[in-house]
């Protein structure tokens, strides 16, 4: 994709809408919708890198209620012709085809390569990548197993949704989030993952979420690892103007 002059590509992750309650997350949702309203003026594309919702499960004819302001704004932006790409996170990994059919937004379950103005990007949510985090990786295999999803659908939504919301907030193994402090390059699994990828393929930028920490790490003088932070404490996002990617804070 060649970015037209004056246009930008935006990256955002980890809103966790609905946590800890719908009422408490509503101010954060309003802030996010205001950001979407502003960036639509010069956006060439928008990337949402997972955990937009603190819980999401698609029954055959039912999705969790709420989030209408966010979904409506995404529909408006997509209908205007601006591409939007969605990557599932560890909290909304049970997303199926609702976004694709209802909003015309493609959904990705693994990191994907993109090239913008001759710069190469690897983009994804970031959960379960790199060494370590074995407990979460085992749990993710259970959650993403088709049999597990089929069995869960037999729970009535009035039971299944509240149960999953409770576990999503309370269980650290499900969330996959440990202490939100920088662990040093050797202790950050995503940094180790990026370095491993660079052994065989060059990328100008690695862009991930999941860690809830705004990070910009030089890897080898030619590649940069970006973690987008979140819309809970930091309200940070990535902005690529065709030449350089910067982390910014959305001020209200």
């Amino acid at each position: 994709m060649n970015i037209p002059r004056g246009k930008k590509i935006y990256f955002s992750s980890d809103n966790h809408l609905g946590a800890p309650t719908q009422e408490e997350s509503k101010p954060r949702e309003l802030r996010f919708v205001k950001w979407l309203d502003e960036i639509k003026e010069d956006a060439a594309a928008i990337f949402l890198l997972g955990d937009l919702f603190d819980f999401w499960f698609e029954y055959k004819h039912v999705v969790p209620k709420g989030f209408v302001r966010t979904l409506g704004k995404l529909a408006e932006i997509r209908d205007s012709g601006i591409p939007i790409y969605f990557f599932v996170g560890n909290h909304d990994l049970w997303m199926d085809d609702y976004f694709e059919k209802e909003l015309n937004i493609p959904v990705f379950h693994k990191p994907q390569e993109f090239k913008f103005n001759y710069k190469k990007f690897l983009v994804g949510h970031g959960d379960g990548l790199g060494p370590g985090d074995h407990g979460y990786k085992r749990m993710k295999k259970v959650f993403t197993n088709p049999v597990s999803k089929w069995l869960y659908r037999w729970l009535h939504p009035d039971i299944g949704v509240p149960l999953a919301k409770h576990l999503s907030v309370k269980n650290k193994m499900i969330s996959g989030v440990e202490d939100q402090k920088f662990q040093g390059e050797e202790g950050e699994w995503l940094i180790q993952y990026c370095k491993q990828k660079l052994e065989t393929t060059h990328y100008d930028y690695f862009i991930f979420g999941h860690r809830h920490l705004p990070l910009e790490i030089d890897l080898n003088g030619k590649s940069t690892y970006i973690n987008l932070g979140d819309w809970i404490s930091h309200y940070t996002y990535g902005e690529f103007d065709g030449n350089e990617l910067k982390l910014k804070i959305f001020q209200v």
Side-chain angles (χ1 to χ4, degrees):
M1 178 189 296
N2 290 321
I3 304 172
R5 183 182 297 273
K7 295 290 185 178
K8 299 173 182 177
I9 296 179
Y10 292 95
F11 302 85
S12 169
S13 73
D14 293 276
N15 300 73
H16 290 267
L17 297 178
T21 66
Q22 294 277 12
E23 294 75 18
E24 291 178 81
S25 77
K26 186 176 177 180
R28 297 191 290 106
E29 181 178 15
L30 293 174
R31 187 168 179 172
F32 179 64
V33 169
K34 185 175 182 182
W35 175 73
L36 290 172
D37 227 6
E38 289 191 11
I39 67 170
K40 70 182 183 182
E41 301 302 326
D42 64 0
I46 299 171
F47 285 76
L48 304 176
L49 269 56
D51 287 357
L52 177 62
F53 312 106
D54 198 61
F55 168 72
W56 184 271
F57 185 86
E58 295 180 19
Y59 292 85
K60 187 174 182 180
H61 299 292
V62 176
V63 296
K65 70 177 183 180
F67 322 118
V68 293
R69 294 166 182 82
T70 296
L71 295 173
K73 184 57 62 177
L74 292 176
E76 173 197 326
I77 292 172
R78 187 65 195 92
D79 288 348
S80 74
I82 299 172
I84 301 175
Y85 304 90
F86 189 90
F87 289 76
V88 302
N90 47 299
H91 282 254
D92 42 28
L93 54 81
W94 276 344
M95 182 168 286
D96 195 3
D97 60 2
Y98 178 78
F99 265 40
E100 294 178 346
K101 290 182 176 179
E102 187 71 20
L103 303 174
N104 195 25
I105 295 175
V107 173
F108 301 99
H109 292 261
K110 296 181 180 179
Q112 300 290 318
E113 294 183 3
F114 295 87
K115 187 173 285 188
F116 306 118
N117 286 17
Y118 307 104
K119 291 187 181 291
K120 196 172 182 181
F121 290 67
L122 187 66
V123 180
H125 180 63
D127 62 309
L129 301 179
D133 209 4
H134 299 297
Y136 169 70
K137 288 177 180 177
R138 288 191 293 268
M139 185 68 74
K140 185 176 181 179
K141 287 182 179 180
V142 174
F143 284 173
T144 56
N145 186 287
V147 175
S148 298
K149 293 169 67 176
W150 180 81
L151 289 172
Y152 199 86
R153 282 196 173 93
W154 283 94
L155 287 176
H156 190 282
D158 287 348
I159 299 173
V161 172
L163 173 63
K165 285 183 176 180
H166 173 77
L167 294 174
S168 180
V169 171
K170 299 296 183 182
N171 193 309
K172 281 190 175 182
M173 184 175 288
I174 290 177
S175 71
V177 176
E178 300 296 335
D179 292 336
Q180 293 169 14
K181 297 178 182 178
F182 183 61
Q183 304 295 319
E185 291 195 17
E186 295 303 317
E188 291 285 341
W189 298 323
L190 278 171
I191 293 179
Q192 296 306 308
Y193 171 80
C194 295
K195 289 181 176 180
Q196 290 172 0
K197 297 293 288 186
L198 287 173
E199 292 176 1
T200 56
T201 307
H202 169 73
Y203 295 97
D204 295 284
Y205 290 103
F206 296 88
I207 306 180
F208 295 106
H210 185 56
R211 284 290 284 117
H212 290 232
L213 284 174
L215 297 172
E216 185 173 352
I217 307 293
D218 178 80
L219 297 174
N220 59 5
K222 298 179 180 179
S223 300
T224 303
Y225 159 65
I226 298 286
N227 197 284
L228 296 171
D230 65 21
W231 285 77
I232 300 172
S233 303
H234 302 289
Y235 301 96
T236 44
Y237 63 96
E239 178 185 288
F240 181 65
D241 63 3
N243 295 304
E244 184 180 6
L245 193 147
K246 295 180 179 179
L247 277 176
K248 294 190 171 184
I249 301 174
F250 183 61
Q251 306 282 2
V252 294

